[in-house]
Structures are given as C-alpha cells and as structure tokens.
C-alpha cells in the first residue's frame, strides 16, 4: 500500500512538472480511460459472464472448475476453436509444466472476440457462445497476442 501511494505521488509530481504536450497526452489518456470504463459498465462487462446460468456460457462456467481448482487457465485460439488448459490442482511453482487440456470449444460452439474491436487497450476478451451468451477472460498483458489474433481473425458474427 505504501509503494502504491509513493507511486501515485511520483506520478502526480511528474504530471505537474510535465510539458504542455505531456499534460495533454495525460489528459487524453484519462478521458480514454473514462470512455472505456463507461463502455464496460454499459455493456455489463464488469462481470465474469452474462449472468444466464442456463445459457451455454453459464453451463460452461459451472463445469469450468470441475476440471481444475486452479483459477488461471491457459487459452489457445485456433481457426478450429478454443483450447483451455489448467494445472490439475492448485500449484504455486512450475504450474506451466503441469498444464493439461481441460476443455475444447469448436469454432461452431464459441469464438473469441474483443468486445471493443480494438478501440480500447484492455486485458479483456470474451468467449462468445453461439447462443449469444459470453464468458469474460482477462489476459496477463494489454493487447496480448490473443488480442492481435482476434483482431486479425474477426468473428463472422461480429463483437
């Protein structure tokens, strides 16, 4: 918490001492972040899934942790569909070595989409099921390789 406060203070000092161009860029970023947050709230994307437990996303989510209690998943997008892997149980060291495929979703079942079609830099992607339900997944980095893949291979159904 102390480091966070120090970081915020350092950022405030940099902003106050910055050039006019730097201040304008910071203000533009702040406005962009507000627009992104409003779009997330408006579309209900602040939730894990669309909220319909009877939809395909809800049913998939109910099975999600039956395969592995570990909260992280490795997601691989291919032209044929989506593959999810996870460690078989909670592990703290070397989890990548213990990954096992826990689910496969064919392209007929679901697609991976960027809900903002690249408009905002986020860590968020959606697994959109054919019935319109969705499950949110967050990547470890902004504009990850998955985002780039999704933007190069847009879903025929749109975002």
């Amino acid at each position: 918490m102390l480091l966070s406060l120090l970081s915020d203070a350092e950022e405030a000092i940099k902003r106050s001492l910055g050039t006019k161009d730097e201040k304008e860029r910071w203000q533009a970023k702040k406005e962009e972040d507000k627009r992104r947050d409003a779009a997330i709230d408006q579309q209900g994307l602040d939730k894990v899934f669309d909220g319909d437990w009877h939809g395909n996303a809800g049913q998939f989510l109910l099975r999600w942790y039956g395969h592995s209690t570990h909260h992280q998943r490795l997601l691989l997008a291919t032209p044929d569909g989506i593959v999810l892997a996870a460690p078989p149980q909670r592990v703290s060291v070397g989890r990548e070595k213990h990954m096992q495929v826990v689910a496969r979703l064919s392209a007929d079942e679901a697609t991976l989409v960027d809900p903002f079609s690249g408009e905002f830099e986020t860590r968020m992607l959606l697994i959109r099921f054919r019935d319109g339900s969705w499950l949110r997944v967050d990547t470890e980095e902004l504009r990850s390789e998955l985002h780039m893949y999704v933007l190069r291979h847009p879903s025929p159904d749109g975002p």
Side-chain angles (χ1 to χ4, degrees):
M1 192 162 126
L2 177 63
L3 291 176
S4 177
L5 288 172
L6 289 173
S7 175
D8 291 346
E10 178 185 22
E11 190 65 32
I13 290 169
K14 284 181 182 179
R15 281 194 309 269
S16 67
L17 297 176
T19 65
K20 182 179 177 182
D21 287 342
E22 289 171 336
K23 288 178 183 180
E24 288 174 359
R25 278 194 301 271
W26 179 82
Q27 186 63 35
K29 169 120 177 60
K30 186 176 170 182
E31 292 298 319
E32 182 78 5
D33 290 348
K34 283 182 184 178
R35 284 185 40 239
R36 181 202 60 221
D37 292 346
I40 288 171
D41 288 343
Q42 180 184 18
Q43 295 180 36
L45 299 176
D46 53 341
K47 300 182 285 184
V48 173
F49 79 116
D50 64 355
D52 179 5
W53 288 105
H54 299 290
N56 291 343
Q59 291 297 304
F60 182 79
L61 191 59
L62 288 172
R63 294 187 308 269
W64 180 277
Y65 286 104
H67 298 294
S68 171
T69 58
H70 198 277
H71 65 285
Q72 290 183 327
R73 298 287 190 264
L74 175 66
L75 190 146
L76 174 66
T78 70
D80 298 330
I82 302 167
V83 178
L84 294 151
Q89 55 190 351
R90 286 198 181 269
V91 292
S92 59
V93 179
R95 69 176 183 257
E96 293 81 12
K97 293 186 287 187
H98 301 288
M99 290 280 187
Q100 298 174 353
V101 172
V102 294
R104 293 179 193 270
L105 297 167
S106 72
D108 293 334
E109 294 176 88
T111 56
L112 195 60
V113 297
D114 180 341
F116 304 113
S117 302
E119 181 180 355
F120 301 114
E121 278 191 356
T122 68
R123 290 180 166 82
M124 180 190 317
L125 290 170
L126 301 179
I127 298 175
R128 181 159 323 268
F129 291 83
R130 290 295 171 222
D131 68 350
S133 63
W134 53 265
L135 174 65
R136 176 180 165 163
V137 292
D138 293 327
T139 59
E140 290 184 350
E141 57 191 41
L142 291 171
R143 284 285 165 90
S144 68
E145 289 183 34
L146 277 174
H147 284 90
M148 296 300 107
Y149 176 86
V150 168
L151 292 174
R152 285 191 309 269
H153 302 93
S155 168
D157 303 332

